[in-house]
Amino acid sequence: MVQAPVQSPNHAAQVDQSSGSLGTGQLTVFMPNGQPSLTLGAIQALILAAQNTIVANTRAEIAAAKADLQNYIKHELADLETRVIAAERCLKRIPIQLSNARIPFNSRLQYPAGVEIVEGMPTLKRDVFNLLESDCIITAEVLELPPLQGEPTLNQRRVQIGEFLGTV
């Protein structure tokens, strides 16, 4: 048996290295009070268990972060798609708005493609300024305009339709 003193910043310890079965050595650390501490194999097992725990926790954190990121990207893409669709609708309306803005007051309005004109909707540019509230509601529904906040006045409803069609 070979004993060698090992010094650490906090205390002194002795190391006993003896040969075990099959020619493998076992290292035991003795504390300054003479009591044996952990064997090298036990220390290695503790280190390995700690490493495995760290790896497992890191993998779980990465998986959670990946899921959060994927969810965030999915929602951002959905929001972006909604905004792109809204922008495309606006762009499609621009030629109609420009045309309606230039026509005389008594001229026939142009509507976006696919809009079915129903009773109560304005057909002439001047009709937008004389719509009844019920006609404004029907027109806004057919044009799929967003609802106005609160209790909109008749004038606010007319302006919304006029802005959409390009008459105001």
Side-chain angles (χ1 to χ4, degrees):
M1 173 185 335
V2 176
Q3 290 191 350
V6 176
Q7 297 290 327
S8 71
N10 298 330
H11 50 47
Q14 287 186 332
V15 177
D16 178 16
Q17 186 174 14
S18 59
S19 63
S21 61
L22 301 174
T24 59
Q26 181 173 347
L27 184 66
T28 303
V29 177
F30 290 89
M31 300 310 291
N33 64 5
Q35 295 294 320
S37 182
L38 298 173
T39 65
L40 181 59
I43 292 171
Q44 289 173 333
L46 287 173
I47 291 172
L48 182 61
Q51 287 174 335
N52 289 340
T53 300
I54 291 169
V55 168
N57 288 344
T58 302
R59 285 183 177 155
E61 289 173 8
I62 289 171
K66 181 181 175 183
D68 288 346
L69 182 59
Q70 287 173 335
N71 192 34
Y72 172 78
I73 290 171
K74 184 174 91 176
H75 289 294
E76 286 297 309
L77 286 176
D79 183 49
L80 181 60
E81 183 179 8
T82 301
R83 289 186 283 161
V84 166
I85 290 169
E88 286 174 343
R89 286 182 182 162
C90 286
L91 288 173
K92 287 179 183 177
R93 280 198 329 260
I94 290 174
I96 294 164
Q97 291 172 327
L98 290 173
S99 176
N100 286 336
R102 292 183 179 137
I103 63 173
F105 199 63
N106 291 324
S107 297
R108 188 162 188 78
L109 287 171
Q110 288 188 5
Y111 280 91
V115 172
E116 183 181 335
I117 299 173
V118 299
E119 188 176 331
M121 290 179 67
T123 54
L124 302 176
K125 185 174 185 176
R126 71 169 186 236
D127 294 342
V128 174
F129 303 98
N130 298 315
L131 287 171
L132 300 174
E133 187 165 6
S134 59
D135 296 335
C136 287
I137 293 169
I138 291 168
T139 303
E141 286 176 4
V142 170
L143 296 176
E144 299 177 357
L145 299 179
L148 295 170
Q149 298 297 318
E151 299 286 329
T153 64
L154 178 58
N155 190 51
Q156 288 172 322
R157 292 180 188 277
R158 288 175 179 164
V159 167
Q160 181 190 35
I161 293 166
E163 286 177 348
F164 181 86
L165 294 173
T167 61
V168 290

